Amino acid sequence: MMIEEVGVEELVRAGLSEEEARGFHESLKAAILIARSSEGEGTKAAAEPQKVWRELTAEGKKLLKPWHPHALHQLIYSSVYSNWDVSTSCPPPYWFPSLLQARHTNLGSLMEIHGPKLLGSLYQDPITSFSLFQKFTVQHPDVYWPLVLKELAVTFREGPRCILDTSDKSKHGGTWLPGSVLNIAESCLLPMNHPRKRDEDVVVIWRDEGSDDAPVNRMTLRELREQVMLVANALDTMFSKGDAIAIDMPMTVTAVVIYLAIVLAGLVVVSIADSFVAKEIASRLRVSNAKGIFTQDFICRGGRNFPLYSRVVEAGPCKAIVLPANGKDVAIQLRKHDLSWKDFLLHVDHLPRPNYYFPVYQSIDSVTNILFSSGTTGEPKAIPWTQLSPIRSAADAWAQVNIKTGDVFCWPTNLGWVMGPTLIYACFLSGATLALYHGSPLGRGFGKFVQEAGVTSLGTVPSLVKTWKSTQCMEGLDWTKINSFASTGEASNFDDDLWLSSKAYYRPIIECCGGTELASSYIQGNLLQPQAFGVFSAASMTTGFVILDEHGVPYPDDQPCVGEVGLFPVYMGATDRLLNADHEEVYFKGMPMYEGMHLRRHGDILKRTVGGYFLVQGRADDTMNLGGIKTSSVEIERVCDRADDSVLETAAISIAPVNRGPEQLVIFVVLKKGYSITQEQLKTKFSRAIQSNLNPLFKVSHVRIIMEFPRTASNKLLRRVLRDQIKTELTSRSRL
């Protein structure tokens, strides 16, 4: 149905009352008329879809409200873009930057000041010249990075000799900020004029689950600094410079204090997700050679206590400092060599100024944090973050997500995942306030916190949004202070994103795709280009890459295509070492040369659309060969997710038959609560959907309905676990 054909009857079916429907219909007709007149067309001509949508969601108009039924949002969006052809046009946009807005963004303001000088007469404005400026930053990172460093709260004890030194040819990515000395945690804690950070400014807002009707808690910059320095002093009484200290606990305000204190004291944080079993904790402690670990007695979720300290004990003898999940005292008996948080802090009682600490200054390439890859493709890699990594991650948040002084940034995450440290540095190096909810983000309590904390930028993972939408737990809450969303971790679902964006009058969702080893996203949305649901609008600043065909030959930059991405190796913040694997072999061996550069492996299969947008089609090792035709898991899942109303989410894998032969397609399914359908019925529906939307030769061999998908701590789907499960099942059946 085209938007001109939507009448009062359809609006009532979408959930409006008769009276609401009539008023909405009159406003809808007026918006369509304005969109037509802006094109200089007659009143009978069909208006361009993007102009109609822009008119419907424009500031001052906002015809679609956050409290309108989701069915109405679905109806209007699908009707506006009913005849949109993605084979000849870019993905249908839902958000458009205005020139006024663009000039007031962090990146747009920088472009307005420096663009005319750097690009000359080619520079027009931040929107028109965005792509040109991004390419300039790839070619001249030594020009871009000094400009951004001035915008971040990075304080050098000794400044760098230069931005980039490429004289050592053994280093594919060169040496960044050589000669510089600093403590990146100190940079987070000092007051500054630009970006503005004053001692009395609130820098952390938080609330405990179960206290949802209480006022939010607040901490100033001075209070944060004094608490961090207190913990740093206590650390000095037990550990030596360079020691690795693990954190295995929820991302509470105290966990953030501990994280910064470890870095301030010249120690190394070992990031461990609080969801890991003892075996996974033990492997990370062993690889990092950790000398101690901060943890909690329990994790509190939904009024229940889940053991955490006991898992740490099972993992090994590493000395533990244990915090209480509730109250002031731990609720369990500790081992003799372990300490309670209260006793740990007593170590500084003898100091005349326990809240003052002189930071340990180190070179820019000193390791501050050991993180681990998500393990989607096997044994997790131990990835060391240097002091360069936080600068890169904060710079991306500043440029792409527009995080700045005055913002309140919330992203439910964990210090065991790259987004934990990223969130800390994105806030404290840009002057924003960090918002933390001590509890599960799945329910209404979290949404109420977002509302009452005044969150202006909300980060998510797609499965979280899916839960919010399906349970309707956020209905009636006001999220209209949110200026932008961000999303990462897995492929986004179009309808879930439509729901999310509508909750803040269609603010943009900045899609982010990168890696722990990059300390950033290599493709990302931004506020200077139109945004479309579930796609990435450009490479991030200074990031260059090519898309390779099956022979390793790059496609032309302006050609729609699908292939493995090859990153340009000169990438500020990317790793140059691994602790438990050969860095050269993992990231460079077997990758082709391009214009004199040895391309860096990332592993994503990337699709470039008409119009230059990007979709991640899965990992290179998730590529399937079905009947001699290559496709990706993500592509099949997008189709199957929409094949039946009973489907919550799907996971597609391929396996070789027991007796050899062509690969077989297997679809795992999680059903929505309250729905019932057989595996055979789904098999038929999935086959029809795939054959009509992707390829008529593709055939679904097996369907398995399961309760939930196996996931990593960062919520990435573990397809290899599902692959192993179905292989074991089919092999056993074959033997019988």
Side-chain angles (χ1 to χ4, degrees), residues 98-115:
S98 73
L99 198 50
L100 181 63
Q101 288 173 329
R103 285 178 169 142
H104 283 89
T105 63
N106 292 333
L107 188 57
S109 175
L110 183 140
M111 289 175 64
E112 285 286 87
I113 295 168
H114 301 285

Side-chain angles (χ1 to χ4, degrees), residues 54 95-116 123-130 151 398-399 402 404 526-529:
R54 190 168 191 167
W95 181 84
F96 307 85
S98 73
L99 198 50
L100 181 63
Q101 288 173 329
R103 285 178 169 142
H104 283 89
T105 63
N106 292 333
L107 188 57
S109 175
L110 183 140
M111 289 175 64
E112 285 286 87
I113 295 168
H114 301 285
Y123 183 78
Q124 296 181 50
D125 60 68
I127 297 175
T128 310
S129 304
F130 173 82
E151 302 297 327
W398 179 89
N402 199 44
K404 59 186 182 301
N526 58 73
L527 300 184
L528 302 181
Q529 292 178 296

Side-chain angles (χ1 to χ4, degrees), residues 185-315:
E186 181 194 44
S187 293
C188 294
L189 300 170
L190 292 177
M192 294 193 74
N193 290 325
H194 186 77
R196 193 184 69 178
K197 293 199 303 177
R198 299 170 300 187
D199 272 345
E200 62 272 21
D201 288 340
V202 173
V203 293
V204 187
I205 299 176
W206 78 97
R207 177 184 278 164
D208 296 327
E209 185 178 47
S211 301
D212 298 327
D213 293 325
V216 296
N217 302 286
R218 301 175 188 273
M219 180 183 288
T220 65
L221 180 60
R222 179 185 288 109
E223 290 168 338
L224 175 64
R225 183 172 63 249
E226 289 179 351
Q227 288 202 27
V228 169
M229 289 186 169
L230 179 75
V231 175
N233 275 313
L235 286 166
D236 269 2
T237 67
M238 296 177 59
F239 302 106
S240 303
K241 178 185 171 184
D243 282 352
I245 311 297
I247 301 177
D248 183 4
M249 58 187 290
M251 191 170 170
T252 62
V253 63
T254 308
V256 171
V257 167
I258 293 167
Y259 183 98
L260 291 171
I262 292 172
V263 178
L264 193 72
L267 307 171
V268 179
V269 178
V270 180
S271 293
I272 301 178
D274 61 14
S275 59
F276 282 141
V277 297
K279 180 183 174 184
E280 296 293 337
I281 298 169
S283 68
R284 284 155 175 80
L285 294 175
R286 174 181 49 78
V287 169
S288 63
N289 192 27
K291 305 298 184 185
I293 180 170
F294 286 88
T295 189
Q296 283 185 182
D297 49 5
F298 297 97
I299 297 173
C300 298
R301 289 287 186 273
R304 296 173 60 196
N305 286 340
F306 298 91
L308 181 56
Y309 173 68
S310 60
R311 279 187 265 148
V312 171
V313 170
E314 188 183 343

Side-chain angles (χ1 to χ4, degrees), residues 206 228 287 358 377 536 544 558 651 726 730 734:
W206 78 97
V228 169
V287 169
F358 189 78
T377 55
F536 309 86
D558 57 353
I726 194 70
L730 295 179
S734 175

